Amino acid sequence: MNGPVTQLILSARNGNRRALDALMPLIHDELQATAHRQLRGERIGHTLDTSALVNETYLRLAEQDRAQWQNRSHFLAVAAIVMRRVLVNYAKQHNRAKRGGGAVQLTLGQAQHVASETPDVDVEALDEALTRLAAIDHRAARVVECRYFGGLDIDETAEALNIAPATVKRDWLLAKTWLRRELESDGA
């Protein structure tokens, strides 16, 4: 019933750093995909790439004491939340420490964003709106974290949050509508 990934997650949540080290290569592609999705809406010239975001996420996950990871879906949902926090902190630092020059530097990995039709997302505005949503409906905010930031599908989100898929669908629709209204009213 419990595969090797689940066994490593259960061992890692109890503080076994070697289990976390062994786990990372097994889920690296999924973490890379999640990081890529989260960076897709970032501004041009963002200096974090997918590998840097995955590495920073790993470091933060490794710092957690007595994590409560239950399975692969739950671990990936937590990793997505950690990635979101990394990006929000990065955006706040960038906004505080804006430097002159005006030149936009792109890495090869970031060049994809120039041609992308995905609009830039104001990570700070989205984080603030998501925090407001969590104050009103915590579960809907968690669904957004899993679906939008984690890239989990309906069933994976339901498993990670221990709720029914129909509940995920309802919360997802509600949250998307609420967040869109909030972000449009903020001018983001």
Side-chain angles (χ1 to χ4, degrees):
M1 180 172 173
N2 287 339
V5 170
T6 301
Q7 290 300 325
L8 289 169
I9 287 170
L10 295 176
S11 184
R13 80 175 187 187
N14 293 322
N16 182 342
R17 176 72 180 261
R18 287 186 179 165
L20 185 60
D21 291 344
L23 171 66
M24 294 311 283
L26 300 177
I27 60 168
H28 186 264
D29 290 345
E30 291 169 277
L31 292 174
Q32 284 280 117
T34 299
H36 180 73
R37 273 191 301 278
Q38 290 199 29
L39 288 168
R40 191 172 36 215
E42 287 294 323
R43 65 179 165 69
I44 295 172
H46 198 284
T47 56
L48 280 179
D49 62 12
T50 54
S51 293
L53 184 53
V54 168
N55 291 340
E56 184 63 31
T57 300
Y58 165 78
L59 292 173
R60 294 199 184 181
L61 289 170
E63 291 174 353
Q64 291 186 3
D65 293 330
R66 310 300 286 175
Q68 296 301 312
W69 308 316
Q70 299 166 7
N71 53 40
R72 176 187 224 116
S73 294
H74 188 249
F75 181 85
L76 292 172
V78 171
I81 293 166
V82 170
M83 284 183 192
R84 172 182 155 224
R85 290 179 184 151
V86 168
L87 288 172
V88 168
N89 290 340
Y90 181 84
K92 287 179 180 179
Q93 288 173 352
H94 176 76
N95 289 337
R96 276 193 300 260
K98 285 188 178 179
R99 294 181 292 250
V104 176
Q105 297 179 350
L106 295 177
T107 66
L108 185 58
Q110 295 163 335
Q112 296 174 22
H113 301 299
V114 174
S116 173
E117 295 179 16
T118 304
D120 287 347
V121 174
D122 183 340
V123 176
E124 284 187 84
L126 178 58
D127 181 61
E128 290 169 7
L130 196 53
T131 299
R132 290 191 302 270
L133 176 60
I136 297 167
D137 189 337
H138 182 72
R139 188 181 67 214
R142 295 288 314 275
V143 167
V144 171
E145 290 172 338
C146 291
R147 300 273 294 137
Y148 181 80
F149 292 103
L152 301 181
D153 65 24
I154 298 291
D155 292 329
E156 291 168 331
T157 301
E159 181 181 352
L161 300 179
N162 199 26
I163 57 177
T167 303
V168 171
K169 290 177 186 176
R170 275 193 311 273
D171 286 352
W172 179 234
L173 180 61
L174 167 88
K176 286 191 307 185
T177 304
W178 191 91
L179 287 169
R180 184 176 301 118
R181 187 186 74 229
E182 284 293 302
L183 292 172
E184 286 172 358
S185 71
D186 287 349

